[in-house]
Structure formats: C-alpha cells, structure tokens
Amino acid sequence: MVHPKSIITSFDFIIIGATGDLSTKKILPALMKRYLDDQIPEKSRIYCISRQSFSLDSFLKFLRKKLSPKQLTINQKTFSKFLSKIYYICLDVTDLNEDNVNLLKGHLEKSKNKIRLFYFATAPELFGLSAKVIKSKNLTNLKTRVIIEKPIGHDLLSAIKINNILNGCFEEKQIYRIDHYLGKETVQNLMVMRFANQIFETHWSNNSISNVQITVAEEKGIEGRELYYDAYGAIKDMMQNHMLQLLCLVAMEPPSKFDANLVRDEKLKVLLSLKIIDDPNDIILGQYGGKVENKKFNTPSYLTDSKNSNSETETFAALKVNIDNWRWAGVPFFLRTGKRLKKSASEIVITFKPIRHFIFDKEIENSIQPNQLIIRLQPDEGLKVLLMSKEPGPGGIRISPSSLNLSFSDTFKNKIPDAYERLLMDVVRGNQTLFMRRDEVEAAWNWLDPIINKIKKLGIKPTIYEPGSWGPKSSAKLIDKYGFSWHEPDNLKGI
Ligand code: BG6
C-alpha cells in the first residue's frame, strides 16, 4: 500500500454538482483535510461547477457556511488559503452555456498536462450526459479520470446503460466507481488481516467456519433523502454495494499480488458464485414505524419521514446467502442492514465450528461456546476474538468465554481518515484497487435482480419494526432457523 503521505502530483479537480450534499459533506471536506496534510500541491486547483448562478465570492460565502472550519479543526487563515484554490463556474450539463464551457476550458488549458479529475457529484441520470459533455467539449486531456458514486443504476439494465456510455467515452482504467465502504480503514484492514496473517487464513473456509454475519446497522433514518430512498430502499441502497463488497472481501481467494485488477478479479469470482436465493423465507424486509417506548427513538415512522403514507419501501433487509464454491459450500452468510436500529454498528462476525471432541467434565460442556472473530468496522474500530478459558480458582475446571481485544480506534487514535480522503488521493495516484470495476457492479445487479423480482412477484412486504430495535422479529427467526443467532453489537463494548 502507498503511504498516505506519499508525494502527490499537482492536479485539477473538477466537481460537477458542487453545491450538493455529496460535494459539501464529503468531497470538499476530504480535500480540505488532505490539504491540511500537505497533500494538495501548490499548483492544484479545484473547479466547482453547478447550475446555480453564484459569483466566486458568493459561492465561497456559501462554502464557508457549509464546510464549517470549526468542525473540521482548521484555523481561519488556513481555511482561507484552501478556499483560494477554488474557482466557481456556473454550468448546467443539460443546458450548456458555451461561454462558461470556454471559461472552464481556458482555465484547464493553462496546465494541459496536469492530472484532471472529474467528479460527477450529480444524480446518476446525469452521469452519462456529464461524460459526453466533457468529452465532446474537449475538456479532457490524456490524464483525465472520472469519478462516480453509487447508485450505478437501479437494476442490471440501467447499470449497463450507464457503463456503456462511460466506457464509450473513457477507458475502464480512467473510470473510478466509488463504494465508500472500500475506503474505510477497517475494511482495507480486512484484507491485511486475512492475507498478512497465517493464523486466520488456514482456518478461513468451511472446514472451520460455521457461519458469517455481516451487519451494517444505523441509528439514523433517511435524513431528508426521501425521494431517493423511497425509490431505492435498503436492498438497492446498501445490499447491492456496501454489503456485497464486504462479503467479497471476506470470501475472496487471495490474489497472487495486491494489484488492482487481480484483487477485483477475485471479488468478481465471489459475486459470480453467489447462489440464487430460492427460498423466499431467506429474504426478510422491514420498515420502521409503530409504537415506540424508548424516547431516543421516538421518531416519526418511515411513512412520515418519506412523506409517502403508502410506501412499501424497506428500511431493513436481511438475507441468507450462500456462495457456491469449494471454500464456502455449506457456510451461510447472513447479511442485515437497516435504519433506525438500536445502535449504529457495522461488523463482520465469523463464527467457527464447535470443537470436535470435549475432554473436560460433561457437566461443563454446555458452557462452551464456539470461537468467534468479530471485526468491528465502525464505530470503535477493532477486532475481538472470543475464546474459551479457565476461570481462575481451585476446585476443578470451570470454563467461560473471554476475549482478546484489539482496538484500532485507541491504537491509531486520530489516524483513521475519512474514507473519501483515502479514495480521492488514490484517484490522483491512479490506483484503482479500492474502486468497483464495471463487471463487479453488473455482477452484483445480476445476482440481485432476481431477488428483487421475487419480492415483487410474491408480494413480499416489509414487516413493521419498532425504531430502536434490531429490526423485525422475522430477522431473528431467519437466523434461528439455521441454528444460529445474530451477534448483538452491544457486546462489543470494551474493544
Ligand atoms: C450510503 C447510503 O451509501 O451509505 C446511506 O446511501 C447510508 O443510506 C450510508 O446511510 C452509510 O455510510 P456510513 O459511512 O455512514 O456507514
């Protein structure tokens, strides 16, 4: 891996859709933090493009409010220096103003050979058009890279359509599809943990593992994104991308080298090995609502939040997934994600098979639990191994669970950057390892489309769950049916 402070070459960073949430909440703050870390070279420029007719001054005023230097712990002087890198150009890709196109072109041509990054921070419907515009108006150079963010389509066909346009304008090596989960430190650490340690890898298969759970739970709701969320729901918003990417990192074979295409080849093989979900009972959907006892979660129901009193969009989904290959045959992967759940916690729990033969007194056999490896992605990033150990004291052997805890958040305090910081600098460096390749995105939709069709065809509706719970009761029943139970993320305190 490249050291985060490796030398970065000057670049022009063009954000199309610069006044939106993605730009002001993620992209610009990430660039600002990299600036604080001396990773935005002197000659780099940031061009903010949007439909709104701001002057540079009024745009900077708008940014000053949005970026809130206090929260980002940057002093006013440095903040102003960072802002001096920014230019604003009013441009609507659906209704081009040629003068402004030329204005942007004029700026970019001042440094023809600089790395040029275009971030399409727009609605996905505009990805294709934005690509065509920058290409046909000669705004690109040989060092151009384009960045887009999920959702890439809403099904296989729409994803293919977007990809066809992008790949028609650019080579695949110029296209960076962000799944921000891949930029999270602990997610990258998953690969290091697996492939730089012998103790895990030798047990990493159906020989030793009984089941894998992947949970991405959020306390928050849809936060004003009702139009988008109501059309997508948890399966398309989270399963298709973040959850499947995590599953790939857990299940993939070791690539021969840590190289962008070799890593992505291995992830693709996992996606292509996912078994079709035949049993509709292995698909659980939920929607938050109903009566709430807990004040903290006494929030409006999803129907109110979405402003759609008839909505049948799921805010929770749990799936039992199988991977049809040699390593994972017979090992269920349980995936669950939801909004307004009891606790915000993302974790991967690997549960090992029970020991093969118990040598201690039969009476204490029940106190034995299978070993578990719990990888906490956020918050309190860390790793915990649940082991059986002897309770201290005389009078025979008593066994109880104890744990080995490794807290990344304590060990690397203040060193865990935001996912976007890492990803944006990787685009500048031209490293595609942590970005989704076209075939991965399409393979994920190809697996998911039949599930979505089944949900429609069989009329599977979300069950209402109480905000502040762990989702609908059917989610616990799903895993219970296979003889397991969900790991309760609360137990992780102390990591
Ligand atoms: C986004 C989803 O991709 O990821 C959101 O659209 C979700 O619905 C978010 O809240 C979760 O990301 P994080 O980094 O907060 O775990």
Side-chain angles (χ1 to χ4, degrees):
M1 289 244 197
V2 186
H3 188 273
K5 288 214 179 158
S6 63
I7 305 294
I8 294 279
T9 325
S10 298
F11 56 85
D12 283 334
F13 197 107
I14 303 108
I15 308 174
I16 301 186
T19 50
D21 270 4
L22 177 59
S23 163
T24 55
K25 287 190 179 154
K26 297 289 183 189
I27 305 171
L28 287 165
L31 289 174
M32 188 149 79
K33 286 193 194 148
R34 290 297 89 214
Y35 178 72
L36 284 175
D37 240 356
D38 287 334
Q39 280 208 309
I40 311 276
E42 187 53 36
K43 291 195 175 135
S44 301
R45 296 283 171 271
I46 302 168
Y47 296 94
C48 289
I49 312 284
S50 99
R51 288 182 294 196
Q52 298 186 40
S53 58
F54 279 120
S55 64
L56 177 59
D57 271 356
S58 54
F59 180 69
L60 292 182
K61 238 185 221 154
F62 160 85
L63 276 193
R64 276 182 186 278
K65 273 196 201 138
K66 286 273 177 187
L67 298 188
S68 154
K70 223 175 177 180
Q71 205 186 334
L72 294 160
T73 51
I74 178 170
N75 65 43
Q76 284 297 344
K77 198 170 153 209
T78 321
F79 186 48
S80 299
K81 269 172 96 184
F82 170 74
L83 291 184
S84 72
K85 302 207 148 300
I86 295 181
Y87 292 81
Y88 182 79
I89 295 170
C90 170
L91 210 56
D92 180 350
V93 287
T94 64
D95 180 17
L96 285 180
N97 171 325
E98 294 296 332
D99 288 346
N100 289 354
V101 171
N102 288 333
L103 184 65
L104 176 59
K105 198 191 279 178
H107 276 296
L108 295 177
E109 282 187 353
K110 278 185 214 148
S111 39
K112 276 197 171 106
N113 294 322
K114 232 195 260 177
I115 295 173
R116 214 173 272 181
L117 314 171
F118 287 87
Y119 201 130
F120 302 159
T122 61
E125 299 77 63
L126 296 180
F127 290 166
L129 185 61
S130 305
K132 282 182 186 164
V133 165
I134 62 169
K135 191 76 189 176
S136 63
K137 297 292 168 190
N138 291 323
L139 295 171
T140 58
N141 66 359
L142 288 174
K143 292 187 185 160
T144 291
R145 290 158 203 169
V146 296
I147 311 167
I148 57 168
E149 172 105 22
K150 62 144 276 242
I152 298 165
H154 49 85
D155 60 8
L156 177 59
L157 275 183
S158 53
I160 291 179
K161 215 164 147 191
I162 294 175
N163 283 334
N164 277 348
I165 301 179
L166 290 176
N167 288 86
C169 296
F170 302 101
E171 287 179 48
E172 182 62 27
K173 65 172 191 234
Q174 295 177 282
I175 305 170
Y176 289 72
R177 298 178 189 81
I178 288 194
D179 179 317
H180 78 280
Y181 264 58
L182 294 178
K184 291 185 191 276
E185 281 295 321
T186 27
V187 175
Q188 293 162 52
N189 206 2
L190 195 58
M191 284 188 277
V192 175
M193 207 201 67
R194 280 196 57 196
F195 303 130
N197 291 294
Q198 185 64 15
I199 61 169
F200 297 121
E201 196 47 32
T202 43
H203 291 289
W204 211 260
S205 74
N206 52 8
N207 284 329
S208 301
I209 292 175
S210 71
N211 76 95
V212 176
Q213 299 177 21
I214 304 178
T215 294
V216 175
E218 296 180 286
E219 274 178 31
K220 66 181 183 197
I222 55 170
E223 305 200 301
R225 295 191 306 157
E226 57 273 2
L227 271 184
Y228 158 77
Y229 197 87
D230 210 39
Y232 273 72
I235 291 208
K236 292 182 186 175
D237 181 48
M238 297 293 289
M239 286 285 180
Q240 193 271 347
N241 34 77
H242 308 325
M243 305 293 287
L244 283 185
Q245 286 292 324
L246 294 178
L247 177 142
C248 285
L249 295 180
V250 173
M252 70 195 243
E253 293 299 314
S256 57
K257 224 167 58 181
F258 194 63
D259 159 275
N261 274 327
L262 295 178
V263 169
R264 297 185 299 174
D265 286 347
E266 295 306 332
K267 287 199 289 157
L268 177 67
K269 285 184 207 161
V270 175
L271 291 167
L272 296 175
S273 312
L274 293 176
K275 235 177 160 168
I276 289 175
I277 301 188
D278 283 323
D279 185 352
N281 296 316
D282 288 341
I283 306 169
I284 304 294
L285 304 181
Q287 188 188 77
Y288 64 85
K291 227 176 69 220
V292 186
E293 309 282 315
N294 183 342
K295 271 209 172 126
K296 183 174 165 200
F297 288 97
N298 203 349
T299 54
S301 68
Y302 175 72
L303 296 183
T304 313
D305 279 349
S306 66
K307 303 188 179 81
N308 175 4
S309 54
N310 296 316
S311 176
E312 291 185 338
T313 297
E314 78 285 356
T315 57
F316 176 97
L319 301 177
K320 182 239 173 195
V321 179
N322 276 93
I323 302 172
D324 223 359
N325 67 16
W326 190 279
R327 190 189 280 261
W328 296 111
V331 179
F333 281 66
F334 297 100
L335 313 186
R336 73 172 164 169
T337 182
K339 297 210 178 276
R340 289 263 179 253
L341 297 184
K342 188 169 176 186
K343 191 175 161 64
S344 287
S346 302
E347 61 177 34
I348 296 169
V349 180
I350 314 282
T351 304
F352 292 87
K353 289 191 167 164
I355 48 166
R356 283 153 217 230
H357 174 67
F358 189 71
I359 65 164
F360 302 101
D361 286 348
K362 278 283 168 219
E363 296 94 79
I364 58 167
E365 194 168 353
N366 283 344
S367 52
I368 289 283
Q369 290 176 23
N371 296 132
Q372 275 185 324
L373 168 66
I374 298 147
I375 303 155
R376 173 60 82 87
L377 306 175
Q378 61 186 28
D380 309 327
E381 294 85 348
L383 201 144
K384 172 167 156 176
V385 185
L386 183 82
L387 298 167
M388 291 300 115
S389 61
K390 179 187 172 298
E391 278 178 26
I397 299 247
R398 286 177 304 279
I399 296 180
S400 63
S402 55
S403 58
L404 283 177
N405 292 350
L406 170 62
S407 164
F408 302 137
S409 47
D410 285 350
T411 314
F412 303 110
K413 237 184 205 120
N414 304 328
K415 281 198 185 156
I416 301 192
D418 180 75
Y420 283 84
E421 293 178 54
R422 164 72 204 236
L423 293 173
L424 296 185
M425 290 303 105
D426 274 1
V427 186
V428 180
R429 293 183 191 108
N431 181 352
Q432 286 188 308
T433 314
L434 301 176
F435 297 83
M436 294 182 293
R437 209 169 51 192
R438 169 181 189 154
D439 46 10
E440 284 181 80
V441 175
E442 291 175 11
W445 280 121
N446 191 43
W447 177 72
L448 212 58
D449 274 359
I451 299 177
I452 295 166
N453 291 339
K454 187 170 279 190
I455 291 172
K456 274 194 204 135
K457 198 168 149 211
L458 301 180
I460 304 175
K461 305 270 183 255
T463 313
I464 301 299
Y465 62 90
E466 197 174 307
S469 68
W470 282 115
K473 297 205 169 63
S474 46
S475 151
K477 282 192 194 143
L478 162 76
I479 190 162
D480 185 58
K481 191 170 81 185
Y482 293 95
F484 307 112
S485 54
W486 289 112
H487 179 261
E488 168 88 49
D490 275 347
N491 294 350
L492 266 184
K493 270 204 176 116
I495 248 191

PDB file of all heavy atoms in Angstrom, residues 1-2 34 182-185 188 258 417-427 429 431 434-435:
ATOM      1  N   MET A   1       0.836  -1.211   0.000  1.00  0.00           N
ATOM      2  CA  MET A   1       0.000   0.000   0.000  1.00  0.00           C
ATOM      3  C   MET A   1       0.870   1.261   0.000  1.00  0.00           C
ATOM      4  O   MET A   1       1.941   1.264   0.573  1.00  0.00           O
ATOM      5  CB  MET A   1      -0.855   0.044   1.264  1.00  0.00           C
ATOM      6  CG  MET A   1      -1.939  -0.969   1.266  1.00  0.00           C
ATOM      7  SD  MET A   1      -3.500  -0.137   1.271  1.00  0.00           S
ATOM      8  CE  MET A   1      -4.545  -1.483   1.772  1.00  0.00           C
ATOM      9  N   VAL A   2       0.354   2.282  -0.577  1.00  0.00           N
ATOM     10  CA  VAL A   2       1.111   3.527  -0.634  1.00  0.00           C
ATOM     11  C   VAL A   2       0.933   4.258   0.696  1.00  0.00           C
ATOM     12  O   VAL A   2      -0.155   4.306   1.244  1.00  0.00           O
ATOM     13  CB  VAL A   2       0.544   4.419  -1.768  1.00  0.00           C
ATOM     14  CG1 VAL A   2       1.397   5.655  -1.950  1.00  0.00           C
ATOM     15  CG2 VAL A   2       0.451   3.623  -3.051  1.00  0.00           C
ATOM     16  N   ARG A  34      -6.962  16.681   3.329  1.00  0.00           N
ATOM     17  CA  ARG A  34      -5.726  16.318   2.633  1.00  0.00           C
ATOM     18  C   ARG A  34      -4.845  17.557   2.459  1.00  0.00           C
ATOM     19  O   ARG A  34      -3.633  17.480   2.469  1.00  0.00           O
ATOM     20  CB  ARG A  34      -6.034  15.681   1.265  1.00  0.00           C
ATOM     21  CG  ARG A  34      -6.644  14.302   1.308  1.00  0.00           C
ATOM     22  CD  ARG A  34      -5.731  13.263   1.943  1.00  0.00           C
ATOM     23  NE  ARG A  34      -5.887  13.151   3.384  1.00  0.00           N
ATOM     24  CZ  ARG A  34      -4.910  12.867   4.239  1.00  0.00           C
ATOM     25  NH1 ARG A  34      -3.697  12.669   3.840  1.00  0.00           N
ATOM     26  NH2 ARG A  34      -5.153  12.771   5.518  1.00  0.00           N
ATOM     27  N   LEU A 182     -15.207   0.793   0.775  1.00  0.00           N
ATOM     28  CA  LEU A 182     -13.868   0.272   0.468  1.00  0.00           C
ATOM     29  C   LEU A 182     -12.770   1.241   0.914  1.00  0.00           C
ATOM     30  O   LEU A 182     -11.605   0.870   1.030  1.00  0.00           O
ATOM     31  CB  LEU A 182     -13.738  -0.019  -1.030  1.00  0.00           C
ATOM     32  CG  LEU A 182     -14.625  -1.154  -1.542  1.00  0.00           C
ATOM     33  CD1 LEU A 182     -14.451  -1.320  -3.045  1.00  0.00           C
ATOM     34  CD2 LEU A 182     -14.294  -2.464  -0.849  1.00  0.00           C
ATOM     35  N   GLY A 183     -13.158   2.488   1.163  1.00  0.00           N
ATOM     36  CA  GLY A 183     -12.165   3.463   1.616  1.00  0.00           C
ATOM     37  C   GLY A 183     -12.035   3.477   3.132  1.00  0.00           C
ATOM     38  O   GLY A 183     -11.159   4.155   3.680  1.00  0.00           O
ATOM     39  N   LYS A 184     -12.892   2.740   3.820  1.00  0.00           N
ATOM     40  CA  LYS A 184     -12.805   2.738   5.288  1.00  0.00           C
ATOM     41  C   LYS A 184     -11.585   1.926   5.713  1.00  0.00           C
ATOM     42  O   LYS A 184     -11.334   0.847   5.169  1.00  0.00           O
ATOM     43  CB  LYS A 184     -14.084   2.133   5.889  1.00  0.00           C
ATOM     44  CG  LYS A 184     -15.320   3.025   5.706  1.00  0.00           C
ATOM     45  CD  LYS A 184     -16.520   2.445   6.412  1.00  0.00           C
ATOM     46  CE  LYS A 184     -17.800   3.166   6.023  1.00  0.00           C
ATOM     47  NZ  LYS A 184     -18.067   4.382   6.766  1.00  0.00           N
ATOM     48  N   GLU A 185     -10.872   2.464   6.684  1.00  0.00           N
ATOM     49  CA  GLU A 185      -9.623   1.822   7.110  1.00  0.00           C
ATOM     50  C   GLU A 185      -9.833   0.368   7.515  1.00  0.00           C
ATOM     51  O   GLU A 185      -9.067  -0.513   7.148  1.00  0.00           O
ATOM     52  CB  GLU A 185      -9.012   2.582   8.297  1.00  0.00           C
ATOM     53  CG  GLU A 185      -8.273   3.827   7.890  1.00  0.00           C
ATOM     54  CD  GLU A 185      -7.035   3.539   7.045  1.00  0.00           C
ATOM     55  OE1 GLU A 185      -6.323   2.569   7.327  1.00  0.00           O
ATOM     56  OE2 GLU A 185      -6.799   4.304   6.093  1.00  0.00           O
ATOM     57  N   GLN A 188     -10.255  -1.997   4.605  1.00  0.00           N
ATOM     58  CA  GLN A 188      -8.978  -2.347   3.982  1.00  0.00           C
ATOM     59  C   GLN A 188      -8.181  -3.293   4.880  1.00  0.00           C
ATOM     60  O   GLN A 188      -7.496  -4.196   4.434  1.00  0.00           O
ATOM     61  CB  GLN A 188      -8.151  -1.093   3.721  1.00  0.00           C
ATOM     62  CG  GLN A 188      -8.763  -0.193   2.689  1.00  0.00           C
ATOM     63  CD  GLN A 188      -8.173   1.199   2.787  1.00  0.00           C
ATOM     64  OE1 GLN A 188      -6.974   1.358   2.776  1.00  0.00           O
ATOM     65  NE2 GLN A 188      -9.030   2.183   2.909  1.00  0.00           N
ATOM     66  N   PHE A 258      -1.103  -7.876  -4.619  1.00  0.00           N
ATOM     67  CA  PHE A 258      -2.060  -6.819  -4.282  1.00  0.00           C
ATOM     68  C   PHE A 258      -2.080  -5.794  -5.412  1.00  0.00           C
ATOM     69  O   PHE A 258      -1.492  -4.729  -5.340  1.00  0.00           O
ATOM     70  CB  PHE A 258      -1.681  -6.175  -2.941  1.00  0.00           C
ATOM     71  CG  PHE A 258      -2.798  -5.332  -2.382  1.00  0.00           C
ATOM     72  CD1 PHE A 258      -4.011  -5.901  -2.043  1.00  0.00           C
ATOM     73  CD2 PHE A 258      -2.640  -3.966  -2.211  1.00  0.00           C
ATOM     74  CE1 PHE A 258      -5.053  -5.135  -1.547  1.00  0.00           C
ATOM     75  CE2 PHE A 258      -3.672  -3.183  -1.712  1.00  0.00           C
ATOM     76  CZ  PHE A 258      -4.884  -3.773  -1.379  1.00  0.00           C
ATOM     77  N   PRO A 417      -8.454   8.174   8.847  1.00  0.00           N
ATOM     78  CA  PRO A 417      -9.025   9.223   7.999  1.00  0.00           C
ATOM     79  C   PRO A 417     -10.394   8.822   7.472  1.00  0.00           C
ATOM     80  O   PRO A 417     -10.772   7.652   7.514  1.00  0.00           O
ATOM     81  CB  PRO A 417      -8.018   9.312   6.849  1.00  0.00           C
ATOM     82  CG  PRO A 417      -7.377   7.979   6.787  1.00  0.00           C
ATOM     83  CD  PRO A 417      -7.463   7.355   8.149  1.00  0.00           C
ATOM     84  N   ASP A 418     -11.121   9.810   6.973  1.00  0.00           N
ATOM     85  CA  ASP A 418     -12.399   9.527   6.353  1.00  0.00           C
ATOM     86  C   ASP A 418     -12.153   8.764   5.050  1.00  0.00           C
ATOM     87  O   ASP A 418     -11.133   8.975   4.380  1.00  0.00           O
ATOM     88  CB  ASP A 418     -13.091  10.870   6.067  1.00  0.00           C
ATOM     89  CG  ASP A 418     -14.433  10.660   5.418  1.00  0.00           C
ATOM     90  OD1 ASP A 418     -15.353  10.268   6.147  1.00  0.00           O
ATOM     91  OD2 ASP A 418     -14.557  10.854   4.189  1.00  0.00           O
ATOM     92  N   ALA A 419     -13.111   7.885   4.723  1.00  0.00           N
ATOM     93  CA  ALA A 419     -12.953   7.051   3.527  1.00  0.00           C
ATOM     94  C   ALA A 419     -12.651   7.881   2.279  1.00  0.00           C
ATOM     95  O   ALA A 419     -11.825   7.497   1.441  1.00  0.00           O
ATOM     96  CB  ALA A 419     -14.229   6.243   3.314  1.00  0.00           C
ATOM     97  N   TYR A 420     -13.290   9.038   2.151  1.00  0.00           N
ATOM     98  CA  TYR A 420     -13.116   9.835   0.934  1.00  0.00           C
ATOM     99  C   TYR A 420     -11.699  10.384   0.807  1.00  0.00           C
ATOM    100  O   TYR A 420     -11.195  10.563  -0.295  1.00  0.00           O
ATOM    101  CB  TYR A 420     -14.142  10.975   0.874  1.00  0.00           C
ATOM    102  CG  TYR A 420     -15.503  10.475   0.457  1.00  0.00           C
ATOM    103  CD1 TYR A 420     -16.372   9.929   1.375  1.00  0.00           C
ATOM    104  CD2 TYR A 420     -15.896  10.499  -0.879  1.00  0.00           C
ATOM    105  CE1 TYR A 420     -17.613   9.429   0.995  1.00  0.00           C
ATOM    106  CE2 TYR A 420     -17.120  10.012  -1.272  1.00  0.00           C
ATOM    107  CZ  TYR A 420     -17.978   9.474  -0.332  1.00  0.00           C
ATOM    108  OH  TYR A 420     -19.184   8.970  -0.724  1.00  0.00           O
ATOM    109  N   GLU A 421     -11.062  10.667   1.921  1.00  0.00           N
ATOM    110  CA  GLU A 421      -9.685  11.180   1.853  1.00  0.00           C
ATOM    111  C   GLU A 421      -8.796  10.165   1.155  1.00  0.00           C
ATOM    112  O   GLU A 421      -8.021  10.481   0.259  1.00  0.00           O
ATOM    113  CB  GLU A 421      -9.146  11.427   3.258  1.00  0.00           C
ATOM    114  CG  GLU A 421      -9.831  12.548   3.986  1.00  0.00           C
ATOM    115  CD  GLU A 421      -9.264  12.686   5.384  1.00  0.00           C
ATOM    116  OE1 GLU A 421      -8.043  12.809   5.529  1.00  0.00           O
ATOM    117  OE2 GLU A 421     -10.063  12.651   6.354  1.00  0.00           O
ATOM    118  N   ARG A 422      -8.933   8.923   1.594  1.00  0.00           N
ATOM    119  CA  ARG A 422      -8.122   7.857   1.018  1.00  0.00           C
ATOM    120  C   ARG A 422      -8.461   7.666  -0.468  1.00  0.00           C
ATOM    121  O   ARG A 422      -7.593   7.584  -1.335  1.00  0.00           O
ATOM    122  CB  ARG A 422      -8.400   6.578   1.820  1.00  0.00           C
ATOM    123  CG  ARG A 422      -7.968   5.298   1.167  1.00  0.00           C
ATOM    124  CD  ARG A 422      -6.476   5.225   1.214  1.00  0.00           C
ATOM    125  NE  ARG A 422      -5.967   4.365   0.177  1.00  0.00           N
ATOM    126  CZ  ARG A 422      -5.189   3.328   0.406  1.00  0.00           C
ATOM    127  NH1 ARG A 422      -4.826   3.038   1.620  1.00  0.00           N
ATOM    128  NH2 ARG A 422      -4.738   2.606  -0.582  1.00  0.00           N
ATOM    129  N   LEU A 423      -9.772   7.606  -0.733  1.00  0.00           N
ATOM    130  CA  LEU A 423     -10.188   7.273  -2.098  1.00  0.00           C
ATOM    131  C   LEU A 423      -9.794   8.372  -3.095  1.00  0.00           C
ATOM    132  O   LEU A 423      -9.311   8.088  -4.184  1.00  0.00           O
ATOM    133  CB  LEU A 423     -11.700   7.023  -2.139  1.00  0.00           C
ATOM    134  CG  LEU A 423     -12.148   5.766  -1.365  1.00  0.00           C
ATOM    135  CD1 LEU A 423     -13.672   5.663  -1.307  1.00  0.00           C
ATOM    136  CD2 LEU A 423     -11.568   4.495  -1.987  1.00  0.00           C
ATOM    137  N   LEU A 424      -9.996   9.629  -2.703  1.00  0.00           N
ATOM    138  CA  LEU A 424      -9.686  10.712  -3.648  1.00  0.00           C
ATOM    139  C   LEU A 424      -8.190  10.748  -3.969  1.00  0.00           C
ATOM    140  O   LEU A 424      -7.792  10.960  -5.112  1.00  0.00           O
ATOM    141  CB  LEU A 424     -10.161  12.064  -3.108  1.00  0.00           C
ATOM    142  CG  LEU A 424     -11.685  12.190  -2.925  1.00  0.00           C
ATOM    143  CD1 LEU A 424     -12.061  13.601  -2.499  1.00  0.00           C
ATOM    144  CD2 LEU A 424     -12.435  11.821  -4.196  1.00  0.00           C
ATOM    145  N   MET A 425      -7.386  10.519  -2.961  1.00  0.00           N
ATOM    146  CA  MET A 425      -5.933  10.520  -3.219  1.00  0.00           C
ATOM    147  C   MET A 425      -5.538   9.312  -4.069  1.00  0.00           C
ATOM    148  O   MET A 425      -4.607   9.380  -4.867  1.00  0.00           O
ATOM    149  CB  MET A 425      -5.147  10.528  -1.898  1.00  0.00           C
ATOM    150  CG  MET A 425      -5.247  11.823  -1.127  1.00  0.00           C
ATOM    151  SD  MET A 425      -4.703  13.286  -2.070  1.00  0.00           S
ATOM    152  CE  MET A 425      -6.232  14.076  -2.493  1.00  0.00           C
ATOM    153  N   ASP A 426      -6.274   8.201  -3.916  1.00  0.00           N
ATOM    154  CA  ASP A 426      -6.000   7.039  -4.772  1.00  0.00           C
ATOM    155  C   ASP A 426      -6.310   7.351  -6.233  1.00  0.00           C
ATOM    156  O   ASP A 426      -5.621   6.872  -7.129  1.00  0.00           O
ATOM    157  CB  ASP A 426      -6.834   5.825  -4.329  1.00  0.00           C
ATOM    158  CG  ASP A 426      -6.140   5.044  -3.226  1.00  0.00           C
ATOM    159  OD1 ASP A 426      -5.050   5.461  -2.808  1.00  0.00           O
ATOM    160  OD2 ASP A 426      -6.692   4.013  -2.789  1.00  0.00           O
ATOM    161  N   VAL A 427      -7.350   8.157  -6.459  1.00  0.00           N
ATOM    162  CA  VAL A 427      -7.651   8.519  -7.853  1.00  0.00           C
ATOM    163  C   VAL A 427      -6.488   9.342  -8.404  1.00  0.00           C
ATOM    164  O   VAL A 427      -6.027   9.127  -9.521  1.00  0.00           O
ATOM    165  CB  VAL A 427      -8.973   9.319  -7.980  1.00  0.00           C
ATOM    166  CG1 VAL A 427      -9.307   9.540  -9.450  1.00  0.00           C
ATOM    167  CG2 VAL A 427     -10.123   8.614  -7.296  1.00  0.00           C
ATOM    168  N   ARG A 429      -3.458   9.210  -7.526  1.00  0.00           N
ATOM    169  CA  ARG A 429      -2.308   8.305  -7.752  1.00  0.00           C
ATOM    170  C   ARG A 429      -2.560   7.310  -8.875  1.00  0.00           C
ATOM    171  O   ARG A 429      -1.677   6.579  -9.285  1.00  0.00           O
ATOM    172  CB  ARG A 429      -2.047   7.483  -6.487  1.00  0.00           C
ATOM    173  CG  ARG A 429      -1.565   8.273  -5.324  1.00  0.00           C
ATOM    174  CD  ARG A 429      -1.271   7.289  -4.175  1.00  0.00           C
ATOM    175  NE  ARG A 429      -1.056   8.008  -2.959  1.00  0.00           N
ATOM    176  CZ  ARG A 429      -1.906   8.032  -1.943  1.00  0.00           C
ATOM    177  NH1 ARG A 429      -3.031   7.364  -1.993  1.00  0.00           N
ATOM    178  NH2 ARG A 429      -1.621   8.733  -0.868  1.00  0.00           N
ATOM    179  N   ASN A 431      -4.608   4.640  -8.606  1.00  0.00           N
ATOM    180  CA  ASN A 431      -4.702   3.299  -8.034  1.00  0.00           C
ATOM    181  C   ASN A 431      -6.176   2.882  -7.923  1.00  0.00           C
ATOM    182  O   ASN A 431      -6.934   3.423  -7.123  1.00  0.00           O
ATOM    183  CB  ASN A 431      -4.040   3.311  -6.650  1.00  0.00           C
ATOM    184  CG  ASN A 431      -4.078   1.939  -6.001  1.00  0.00           C
ATOM    185  OD1 ASN A 431      -4.722   1.014  -6.497  1.00  0.00           O
ATOM    186  ND2 ASN A 431      -3.394   1.804  -4.881  1.00  0.00           N
ATOM    187  N   LEU A 434      -9.284   0.059  -4.826  1.00  0.00           N
ATOM    188  CA  LEU A 434     -10.450   0.206  -3.942  1.00  0.00           C
ATOM    189  C   LEU A 434     -11.674   0.750  -4.680  1.00  0.00           C
ATOM    190  O   LEU A 434     -12.567   1.321  -4.049  1.00  0.00           O
ATOM    191  CB  LEU A 434     -10.087   1.105  -2.757  1.00  0.00           C
ATOM    192  CG  LEU A 434      -8.918   0.607  -1.896  1.00  0.00           C
ATOM    193  CD1 LEU A 434      -8.579   1.611  -0.804  1.00  0.00           C
ATOM    194  CD2 LEU A 434      -9.238  -0.747  -1.262  1.00  0.00           C
ATOM    195  N   PHE A 435     -11.701   0.585  -5.985  1.00  0.00           N
ATOM    196  CA  PHE A 435     -12.848   1.070  -6.767  1.00  0.00           C
ATOM    197  C   PHE A 435     -13.488  -0.109  -7.491  1.00  0.00           C
ATOM    198  O   PHE A 435     -12.815  -1.085  -7.821  1.00  0.00           O
ATOM    199  CB  PHE A 435     -12.391   2.142  -7.769  1.00  0.00           C
ATOM    200  CG  PHE A 435     -11.844   3.353  -7.073  1.00  0.00           C
ATOM    201  CD1 PHE A 435     -10.527   3.375  -6.630  1.00  0.00           C
ATOM    202  CD2 PHE A 435     -12.652   4.448  -6.803  1.00  0.00           C
ATOM    203  CE1 PHE A 435     -10.024   4.470  -5.943  1.00  0.00           C
ATOM    204  CE2 PHE A 435     -12.155   5.540  -6.121  1.00  0.00           C
ATOM    205  CZ  PHE A 435     -10.834   5.557  -5.689  1.00  0.00           C
TER     206      PHE A 435
END
